[in-house]
Amino acid sequence: MSETLPLPVAFVDDEADIRAANEQSLLLAGYRPLLFERGEALLAAIDEGFEGVVVTDLRMPGLSGLDLFRRLRAVDADLPVILVTGHGDVATAVDALHEGVYDFIAKPYSAARLMDAVRRAGEKRRLVLENRRLRDLARQVDASDAPLIGESPAMQRLRHTIRQIADADVDVLVEGETGSGKEVVASALHHWSRRAPKPFVALNCGALPETVIESELFGHESGAFTGAAKRRVGRIEHSSGGTLFLDEIESMPAALQVKLLRVLETREVDPLGTNERRAVDLRVVAAAKVDLGAPEARAYFREDLFYRLNVVTVQIPPLRERGDDVPLLFATFLERAAKRFRREPPAISPGVIRHLREHDWPGNVRELVHFAERVALGIADVASRPEIPRAGLTLPERVDAFEADAIREALEENNGDVKLTIEALGIPRKTFYDKLQRHGISRKDFAGEA
């Protein structure tokens, strides 16, 4: 939705003085009123990309407000429509809520009542359009490159750097916090280079014990040590012609750092149990979650190996520094998770959007992926309603706020189911609908619709 233009509100009424009065109220409240005398005129002017809401009188010549709503549903089933009704039409309006009308306002109504309904409907519309936009963008993204998407300056620079160095036969050091996507960067360096047809070989140096990692890297001949029943090609040799990715290289034992340095300098490998040296067409991408150039790193990481790897260094920004990219990343991961779990992607609720904006994401992309998976499964623990300030409220206002909170909480816990909500609250159905109207609460906001 546009950030510069005010929310458009299509107001339909066959009486000119009512249109004029409500136009002034909407303008004063910061909205952009679009006035129509007949529903037919509105239908000719609106499409599914309409960013605002519709307010229509129920009784009009030609199309009634209810008929207009039904026609608008064929244009966009998620377009919020607010009905304005006379006292005798309240029962009809309540039935219309079950059909999907967003809200109704009984005459006579105050400007404040209209503005409250328009504000809530506008928030709903904004959320629907944001869901659509993110889903459309997410479907255009190659899931394997998802952590590299985003239009923040830091991500644009990162993609440019990767493109620039992908085809250069230089070793690369990738630095970034845990979960920031270092392996994805290494994979992109491989797949965007002429080495792509050859193997991309990954090894986490911190995941293997010291007694195993040497054989994994350099390979061994049959009988080289107890248990070596047959020859094994090491990761270095297997990656020849392709790319060797060494994650958490700061965890590599000191003795192996010496051997790796020699391989990098000679481009030759000598497996355990043989004096034969084998030439390798090697490109190493090493990743560290710490700054290997810092003085304190000298205690456990060889300085000469650092400088040998540090021909080119790629820095991955943490997620908290590219907050504008978070919603699109999340939508991409949510689409992927829903597909994996064989579910329809759920609508992104206001609570989820608020969490995406306010959370610092210390676990970076990995944490965001896991959050998207929980949302896809319907088990994400996020608040779905805004906090209501209590300071400065009178006692009746505080009682009203408490009552509204209790109704919203019951609706949320029961996914908008009226019968279950009424049972939980212990009030009659008519009282329930009266209180929904009084507090400006829409049941559909809690029904998982989008």
Side-chain angles (χ1 to χ4, degrees):
M1 179 172 295
S2 171
E3 296 292 334
T4 56
L5 293 176
L7 179 80
V9 179
F11 191 90
V12 189
D13 197 293
D14 59 311
E15 296 186 32
D17 56 341
I18 293 180
R19 293 198 302 274
N22 282 281
E23 178 184 26
Q24 289 301 312
S25 297
L26 289 165
L27 284 170
L28 289 172
Y31 297 108
R32 179 161 54 98
L34 307 172
L35 306 180
F36 299 89
E37 183 178 356
R38 299 289 184 91
E40 292 85 349
L42 171 63
L43 286 170
I46 206 169
D47 59 27
E48 65 178 354
F50 182 61
E51 296 183 339
V53 303
V54 174
V55 181
T56 178
D57 194 19
L58 179 62
R59 294 184 178 273
M60 296 184 296
L63 279 178
S64 70
L66 194 53
D67 289 335
L68 175 60
F69 158 71
R70 290 165 179 160
R71 295 276 295 275
L72 287 171
R73 287 199 72 179
V75 175
D76 186 342
D78 298 316
L79 181 62
V81 176
I82 301 168
L83 284 181
V84 178
T85 69
H87 180 72
D89 294 318
V90 170
T92 301
V94 170
D95 289 340
L97 290 177
H98 294 288
E99 282 195 50
V101 165
Y102 182 79
D103 199 358
F104 74 90
I105 304 173
K107 298 177 182 177
Y109 57 87
S110 66
R113 174 70 179 95
L114 174 63
M115 296 312 123
D116 179 65
V118 168
R119 175 187 58 79
R120 289 182 291 102
E123 290 172 355
K124 181 72 171 180
R125 184 61 174 164
R126 185 177 295 109
L127 184 63
V128 165
L129 294 180
E130 180 71 0
N131 269 275
R132 289 180 184 173
R133 184 184 71 84
L134 292 176
R135 284 178 181 172
D136 288 345
L137 289 173
R139 291 180 181 121
Q140 299 171 21
V141 173
D142 182 345
S144 64
D145 294 335
L148 294 179
I149 67 174
E151 294 307 315
S152 62
M155 292 310 295
Q156 292 185 44
R157 288 194 299 271
L158 178 60
R159 287 196 300 270
H160 175 74
T161 299
I162 294 173
R163 293 285 188 188
Q164 286 292 104
I165 65 175
D167 253 344
D169 277 335
V170 294
D171 298 325
V172 179
L173 181 62
V174 181
E175 293 182 345
E177 295 178 2
T178 297
S180 59
K182 295 185 288 293
E183 185 166 353
V184 174
V185 169
S187 179
L189 283 166
H190 175 72
H191 289 294
W192 293 351
S193 75
R194 58 176 175 269
R195 291 177 172 266
K198 297 292 186 177
F200 174 77
V201 180
L203 178 69
N204 188 315
C205 300
L208 295 175
E210 187 171 345
T211 54
V212 174
I213 190 171
E214 182 174 9
S215 175
E216 283 291 319
L217 268 176
F218 298 95
H220 62 257
E221 296 297 311
S222 175
F225 52 85
T226 303
K230 59 182 180 179
R231 178 176 178 268
R232 177 180 176 83
V233 175
R235 302 289 183 95
I236 295 175
E237 189 175 355
H238 181 55
S239 73
S240 184
T243 302
L244 175 66
F245 173 56
L246 299 176
D247 198 7
E248 295 189 23
I249 195 168
E250 71 275 9
S251 303
M252 180 175 285
L256 289 189
Q257 292 180 33
V258 176
K259 294 194 68 173
L260 177 62
L261 176 62
R262 183 171 183 177
V263 170
L264 293 177
E265 289 175 340
T266 64
R267 260 35 186 187
E268 293 179 336
V269 62
D270 48 341
L272 297 174
T274 179
N275 293 322
E276 178 188 355
R277 291 187 178 180
R278 300 169 187 163
V280 287
D281 176 10
L282 188 63
R283 202 253 183 108
V284 173
V285 178
K289 59 180 182 288
V290 297
D291 180 6
L292 295 179
E296 55 268 24
R298 298 285 76 80
Y300 57 86
F301 199 81
R302 293 182 62 93
E303 188 172 12
D304 49 3
L305 178 57
F306 166 70
Y307 286 119
R308 187 65 187 78
L309 288 170
N310 193 32
V311 179
V312 176
T313 298
V314 174
Q315 294 276 355
I316 306 178
L319 204 51
R320 63 182 173 274
E321 292 181 7
R322 52 186 185 112
D324 289 344
D325 295 334
V326 170
L328 178 55
L329 279 166
F330 171 77
T332 303
F333 298 142
L334 182 64
E335 189 86 13
R336 188 168 66 181
K339 184 176 181 180
R340 181 158 63 89
F341 298 142
R342 298 180 182 178
R343 300 187 177 196
E344 283 297 314
I348 303 175
S349 70
V352 168
I353 287 182
R354 187 163 55 251
H355 184 71
L356 293 177
R357 290 173 178 166
E358 296 175 358
H359 191 55
D360 282 340
W361 304 106
N364 290 292
V365 175
R366 185 178 299 142
E367 181 184 0
L368 184 60
V369 169
H370 293 162
F371 178 64
E373 290 173 345
R374 292 197 300 275
V375 172
L377 291 170
I379 59 173
D381 183 19
V382 293
S384 63
R385 57 187 185 276
E387 293 292 328
I388 300 178
R390 300 289 188 263
L393 296 182
T394 65
L395 179 58
E397 288 172 335
R398 292 188 184 196
V399 171
D400 281 350
F402 176 83
E403 183 177 78
D405 271 357
I407 293 170
R408 291 189 181 96
E409 183 175 343
L411 282 165
E412 181 181 334
E413 290 176 352
N414 294 288
N415 296 317
D417 184 283
V418 172
K419 183 176 183 296
L420 294 176
T421 301
I422 288 173
E423 290 176 355
L425 293 171
I427 58 176
R429 179 177 291 266
K430 184 179 183 304
T431 303
F432 173 71
Y433 280 111
D434 287 344
K435 290 183 182 296
L436 289 186
Q437 183 179 4
R438 176 183 174 188
H439 295 299
I441 299 171
S442 173
R443 180 192 64 81
K444 293 191 300 179
D445 286 347
F446 303 87
E449 298 174 11

